[in-house]
């Protein structure tokens, strides 16, 4: 499984940015998470859009799309490859679809802004954190000062492509 630790916080003034983005695309690892494996989704209030490594869910074809102008906190342009809808199972047993921008990032990022636009509330309380819509709440895990939504990736394993 990929290492999703070692979180770095983004900076200010970039509008759209991601945490932990490399300066050069050549240094990106191949992201080979198979279906059924644990996925940690960084819930980021500083990100303007959902983003995932280009190879996450590679068995689902990329949809061509207009490039999303995204930059790191240091101003480096983040490569954009298209969009991909991925099926996930949450820890409460429910399932969902998340539409990610396939980009030159290390971590899978959920944008609080996009979650809000989709009618979801993201709460970061001292005693607990969660994403909610109506009566349903998905708990977030706090680790090293950042919050993750835990899920499992569903679909065809990369080995069966």
């Amino acid at each position: 499984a990929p290492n999703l630790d070692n979180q770095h916080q983004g900076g200010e003034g970039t509008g759209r940015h991601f945490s932990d983005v490399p300066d050069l695309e050549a240094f990106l690892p191949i992201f080979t998470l198979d279906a059924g494996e644990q996925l940690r989704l960084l819930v980021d209030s500083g990100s303007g859009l959902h983003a995932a490594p280009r190879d996450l869910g590679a068995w689902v074809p990329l949809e061509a799309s207009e490039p999303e102008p995204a930059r790191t906190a240091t101003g480096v342009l983040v490569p954009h490859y298209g969009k991909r809808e991925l099926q996930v199972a949450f820890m409460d047993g429910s399932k969902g679809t998340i539409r990610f921008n396939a980009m030159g990032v290390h971590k899978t990022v959920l944008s609080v802004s996009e979650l809000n636009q989709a009618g979801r509330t993201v709460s970061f309380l001292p005693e607990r954190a969660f994403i909610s819509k109506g009566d349903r709440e998905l708990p977030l895990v706090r680790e090293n000062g950042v919050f993750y939504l835990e899920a499992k990736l569903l679909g065809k394993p990369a080995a069966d492509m």
Side-chain angles (χ1 to χ4, degrees):
N3 180 0
L4 299 177
D5 296 327
N6 302 323
Q7 175 62 38
H8 301 286
Q9 291 298 316
E12 62 182 350
T14 57
R16 292 182 165 185
H17 70 272
F18 300 95
S19 303
D20 195 40
V21 180
D23 287 340
L24 298 172
E25 180 183 358
F27 292 105
L28 289 174
I30 300 298
F31 201 89
T32 57
L33 186 67
D34 281 346
E37 291 190 58
Q38 181 92 7
L39 180 63
R40 300 189 82 201
L41 307 162
L42 175 66
V43 179
D44 188 353
S45 63
S47 174
L49 45 85
H50 297 330
R54 174 175 53 180
D55 296 324
L56 179 67
W59 57 88
V60 177
L62 275 175
E63 300 170 20
S65 67
E66 289 294 319
E68 294 284 350
R71 295 188 178 273
T72 67
T74 59
V76 175
L77 188 63
V78 179
H80 184 270
Y81 305 104
K83 296 188 179 193
R84 178 176 283 140
E85 285 191 4
L86 297 177
Q87 304 293 315
V88 295
F90 300 108
M91 296 299 100
D92 68 354
S94 65
K95 295 177 183 176
T97 300
I98 303 173
R99 184 174 173 86
F100 288 104
N101 290 278
M103 302 186 83
V105 296
H106 282 274
K107 295 183 188 299
T108 305
V109 177
L110 288 180
S111 162
V112 170
S113 177
E114 277 202 36
L115 290 166
N116 287 157
Q117 288 174 349
R120 288 161 180 81
T121 299
V122 182
S123 300
F124 301 106
L125 305 173
E127 66 278 0
R128 65 191 184 102
F130 55 92
I131 298 171
S132 63
K133 186 171 184 178
D135 292 337
R136 182 169 171 228
E137 291 184 0
L138 293 173
L140 301 178
V141 175
R142 183 179 183 155
E143 186 175 299
N144 296 323
V146 295
F147 296 89
Y148 296 94
L149 176 63
E150 294 185 337
K152 288 188 178 181
L153 188 59
L154 300 177
K156 184 177 179 181
D160 293 342
M161 286 178 31

